[in-house]
Amino acid sequence: MRKLIFHLLICVVVFAAGAQDRVAVRYKVSNRDTDRGDVKTYEMMLASSPDKSLFYNTMSLYVDSCNSTPQGKAALEEIQMKAWTVVQPDGSVTLDGRKLGLAPDKNEYLYVEKDRVNKKLKVYDRKAGDLYQYEEPFGEQEWTIVEDSTKNILGFDCLFAYSDYHGRRWNVWFTPEIPIQDGPWKLYGLPGLILAADGADDFVVEALEIGTTSQNIPSVYSEDDYDKGERRRILADHEHYINNFLSRLAAKGIKLNSDGGSSDLPKYDRKHRAWETDY
């Protein structure tokens, strides 16, 4: 039961160095990974300990925890249907898309797990319409620290650093005041916690709150549901899937606009939609 409600129990408080060895950080993430390339923002959590960490969306973790058991899945579906459906005067039931935010739902599929004991980084995500996981070793990020460039974020003095990683240059601010070699997404390896990161093309991550927690670091639910693959192959297949999915709809005369007009959706632009562009 503790795992089911972990995201509700994380207490974000003023950080005191040495108070606890588990840190919780709430980040705002911005990018253009949408059909039309508009900037979207959403929140992610980093729960980090000396042995492991998980970067995740709290609502997604809650939904996955419910769906991991038959009883939880049934309860969640009942809540969703009550919130999303409308009974018409003739007795028919319709789904009101305007109510989708009124019940727990999963919109973000990304999980990044860092295993510091075994020196492995594991990613779980939904790509090309399916769930995938892959691993990569630690040590792929080489940082240059600019010690005379400083900034204060949420009351913590930060230093500037940058690294070329999987097709992007990541400019980050990290604080030695929180001596944890971790950060949002896959970013790690600096002598302090990364509080802000900019990968260009509107890929921006900013810390909103920092605190400590006595809770265990959560794990990804239903891990066996994720097919194993190789990072570059998964990303390339996803781009191909998106472009051909739209083409197949157009070939069948299916219009994505409610007025029946052409969707005119742009081709997948990895520079503006993919965290990594080196595939």
Side-chain angles (χ1 to χ4, degrees), residues 45-63:
M45 180 72 73
L46 174 70
S48 183
S49 75
D51 292 337
K52 65 177 289 189
S53 69
L54 188 69
F55 183 67
Y56 63 99
N57 177 268
T58 55
M59 181 59 73
S60 296
L61 185 70
Y62 172 73
V63 171

Side-chain angles (χ1 to χ4, degrees), residues 7-254:
H7 74 289
L8 298 176
L9 295 179
I10 286 182
C11 181
V12 179
V13 296
V14 176
F15 185 88
Q20 299 205 35
D21 60 0
R22 299 188 184 106
V23 176
V25 188
R26 184 167 64 93
Y27 291 96
K28 180 178 75 172
V29 179
S30 302
N31 59 47
R32 291 184 177 271
D33 191 13
T34 64
D35 288 339
R36 294 193 177 277
D38 302 323
V39 175
K40 70 170 183 177
T41 61
Y42 51 99
E43 292 187 2
M44 299 288 284
M45 180 72 73
L46 174 70
S48 183
S49 75
D51 292 337
K52 65 177 289 189
S53 69
L54 188 69
F55 183 67
Y56 63 99
N57 177 268
T58 55
M59 181 59 73
S60 296
L61 185 70
Y62 172 73
V63 171
D64 284 347
S65 71
C66 292
N67 287 329
S68 66
T69 66
Q71 299 87 349
K73 184 175 183 179
L76 177 62
E77 288 178 350
E78 182 179 0
I79 293 172
Q80 291 173 332
M81 288 302 101
K82 285 183 178 179
W84 297 344
T85 57
V86 177
V87 179
Q88 302 298 332
D90 62 359
S92 62
V93 178
T94 60
L95 180 67
D96 189 344
R98 295 170 297 180
K99 294 187 174 185
L100 292 181
L102 300 181
D105 196 14
K106 183 176 180 178
N107 295 309
E108 304 303 329
Y109 287 82
L110 175 66
Y111 291 96
V112 179
E113 182 182 77
K114 303 185 187 87
D115 181 350
R116 283 184 258 279
V117 174
N118 296 305
K119 305 297 183 183
K120 289 183 179 180
L121 185 152
K122 184 178 287 187
V123 175
Y124 302 82
D125 206 350
R126 184 173 184 266
K127 296 294 184 184
D130 293 311
L131 297 176
Y132 286 99
Q133 61 169 297
Y134 63 87
E135 290 184 1
E136 57 187 71
F138 276 9
E140 292 188 338
Q141 295 170 29
E142 298 181 359
W143 295 97
T144 299
I145 299 175
V146 184
E147 294 187 357
D148 60 352
S149 185
T150 62
K151 185 177 183 178
N152 190 279
I153 300 176
L154 298 177
F156 296 96
D157 291 330
C158 299
L159 296 176
F160 176 73
Y162 62 87
S163 176
D164 293 322
Y165 177 67
H166 290 182
R168 291 189 181 278
R169 166 157 291 193
W170 284 95
N171 298 317
V172 307
W173 293 94
F174 72 96
T175 176
E177 295 180 30
I178 306 178
I180 295 177
Q181 295 189 24
D182 210 343
W185 186 54
K186 297 182 178 183
L187 304 177
Y188 67 93
L190 286 161
L193 182 66
I194 298 172
L195 299 186
D198 189 334
D201 306 312
D202 295 307
F203 276 80
V204 179
V205 187
E206 305 167 277
L208 299 176
E209 289 183 282
I210 309 168
T212 59
T213 176
S214 61
Q215 299 297 315
N216 291 329
I217 305 302
S219 298
V220 177
Y221 286 92
S222 305
E223 183 176 351
D224 291 341
D225 291 344
Y226 295 79
D227 293 329
K228 292 183 179 180
E230 189 274 327
R231 179 182 68 87
R232 286 190 174 94
R233 183 72 267 163
I234 291 171
L235 297 178
D237 287 347
H238 180 66
E239 179 174 327
H240 179 79
Y241 170 84
I242 294 295
N243 287 333
N244 283 272
F245 174 72
L246 298 176
S247 298
R248 287 195 299 269
L249 289 180
K252 294 178 180 179
I254 298 175

